[in-house]
Every structure is written in C-alpha cells, then in structure tokens.
Amino acid sequence: MKPLYIFLWFLSIHSVSAQLKTITDKTTYPFWINVPEKESAEKQPILIFLHGKSLSGTDLNRVRRYGVLRAMDKGRKIPAIVVAPQLAKGSWNPDKVLEVLEYVQKNYNTDSTRIYVCGMSLGGYGTLHFAGKHADKITAAVAICGGGNVNDGCKLATIPLWIQHGDKDYIVPISESEKVVNAIRKCNEKAKLIFTVIKGGNHGSVENIFHQDAMYNWLFEQKKE
C-alpha cells in the first residue's frame, strides 16, 4: 500500500498547482496564472506576486521556488486569481506589471474592488514602486524585505499597506523599509499602514510569511469602497 499512499500524497500536494498555467506571449512579462474553479460563477479577486532577484530569468519554473506559488505547491488554497509574472533581469517596471493586470482583467471574470499585490526583496521594491505609481489600480499591498521611493509617500498613503522586514537582514537593510514608512507617515500619520519588524528575521527566513494565514487574511479583508 505504500506506493498508493505516496501517490495520494503527491495528488494532495499538487491538486492546487495542477490548475496553474503559463501565459508567455500576451504581455511583456510572461506569467503564471491560477484561476479558482468557481471563477466562471462569480467575480474573483486578483493576487499578484512579484518575485525577488534570484528568481529572475527566462525559465518560469523558477518563480515556483518560493513565495505564493511555492505555498500553493505545498497545498495552500488561495481564494483569488493568482498571477505571478517573471522578470528577465533588472528591476520591476510598474507599467509592465500594470500591463499584466489589465490583461487578466480583460480576459477573466475579476472583481476590480479586490486587486492585491505582494512581493519579497526585489519584489518588495516592485510592489511599492507599482503601488506608488498605480495606487488607484489596486486595493492593498504587502511588501516584504524591500523598499521604495520616498517621493511616493503620499500616493502610498492612499491604500492599505503592510510592510514587513527582518531586523537581521544584511542583504536589504531594514532602513530601506523604514525610509518608506517614514515618508508615508509624514504625508499622512493616519494612513492605513502596518509596519512589522520581524525579530531575528533575515533576508531568507521571512519567506515563511507566504506559508502563514496572516498575510492572506489581511489582504483579502481589504476592499475598495
């Protein structure tokens, strides 16, 4: 019976990711997309995941090494259309991320009041750069161990944000997040901003955020009025 148990375990782990598919020729950034089975019946939220530098390249399978797709491969079910583009090199371009979002909105049954973005490291920067330029397009965002433009402070203050950073991060220092947090608070001290300092967290260990309920619960509670 042991082979059967292994087979059933494999199915349980991969049942969600079996719905994943790639779209490579419709937008500048190729991307993974996962659409919930009930998508055709009701409008769905969108969750965009922006990866870090180590997952850049031209092999989309790299994007599954950590983050939201990794959590899904390990069995997490996410009640949203999950979109995970890949950056070939350099930094995330907010307008090219918007191109992916608009393609998904045009071709799938989506809820424009529930558009979420999250990212880690370079993807954390990408999240805040995207939100800083296109805050009107999204509902809420989570940026992990990244940073952003202080000049975007007032724009970022218009949407719910959760910025998280480990205090033992020697790759991207926590000061990168602190600068953006201070700019947001300077513009609007009542902005809907959460800044979490992860005690003992280093640049890699904070990836476990994607495997916990807290980030997803918080994001999906946010809704545009």
Side-chain angles (χ1 to χ4, degrees):
M1 294 295 291
K2 189 174 181 181
L4 176 59
Y5 290 142
I6 293 174
F7 176 69
L8 292 174
W9 171 83
F10 180 88
L11 285 181
S12 68
I13 293 296
H14 292 275
S15 60
V16 174
S17 61
Q19 299 177 50
L20 277 168
K21 69 175 185 177
T22 60
I23 296 180
T24 60
D25 58 352
K26 302 298 184 182
T27 57
T28 304
Y29 292 146
F31 60 93
W32 287 98
I33 187 167
N34 187 85
V35 181
E37 292 179 355
K38 64 178 181 178
E39 186 271 338
S40 59
E42 57 186 87
K43 293 182 180 297
Q44 292 294 304
I46 297 174
L47 175 61
I48 300 173
F49 167 66
L50 301 182
H51 65 72
K53 184 177 180 180
S54 66
L55 304 191
S56 299
T58 56
D59 177 6
L60 268 169
N61 284 310
R62 295 177 67 89
V63 184
R64 297 173 73 160
R65 291 184 178 179
Y66 69 69
V68 173
L69 297 191
R70 175 63 174 160
M72 293 173 65
D73 281 342
K74 294 180 71 174
R76 176 169 290 276
K77 294 183 179 180
I78 298 176
I81 296 174
V82 175
V83 180
Q86 185 180 39
L87 178 68
K89 60 182 179 179
S91 300
W92 288 102
N93 182 315
D95 295 328
K96 293 178 181 178
V97 176
L98 179 63
E99 180 189 12
V100 172
L101 171 60
E102 290 180 336
Y103 174 86
V104 174
Q105 289 178 309
K106 181 179 179 181
N107 290 279
Y108 296 87
N109 191 19
T110 66
D111 184 346
S112 62
T113 69
R114 294 183 294 163
I115 307 297
Y116 310 103
V117 186
C118 64
M120 175 178 169
S121 190
L122 183 67
Y125 282 93
T127 295
L128 292 179
H129 290 161
F130 179 60
K133 186 167 185 180
H134 300 295
D136 59 317
K137 303 291 186 181
I138 64 176
T139 307
V142 174
I144 302 167
C145 64
N149 296 322
V150 295
N151 291 337
D152 291 337
C154 290
K155 203 81 175 285
L156 292 169
T158 65
I159 61 171
L161 281 176
W162 189 358
I163 296 175
Q164 305 186 53
H165 215 121
D167 64 355
K168 300 299 183 185
D169 191 331
Y170 303 115
I171 305 298
V172 178
I174 195 171
S175 58
E176 287 294 285
S177 284
E178 290 173 336
K179 287 188 291 188
V180 181
V181 167
N182 292 337
I184 294 170
R185 288 176 174 164
K186 182 179 180 181
C187 185
N188 181 4
E189 61 182 19
K190 295 183 179 181
K192 194 168 186 179
L193 167 68
I194 302 172
F195 179 41
T196 300
V197 177
I198 302 167
K199 299 296 183 183
N202 60 40
H203 197 65
S205 68
V206 295
E207 194 269 345
N208 64 18
I209 291 168
F210 295 104
H211 303 275
Q212 301 169 3
D213 294 336
M215 181 189 80
Y216 303 101
N217 290 345
W218 180 83
L219 277 173
F220 296 134
E221 286 172 358
Q222 314 305 317
K223 190 170 182 179
K224 279 187 177 181
E225 298 180 0

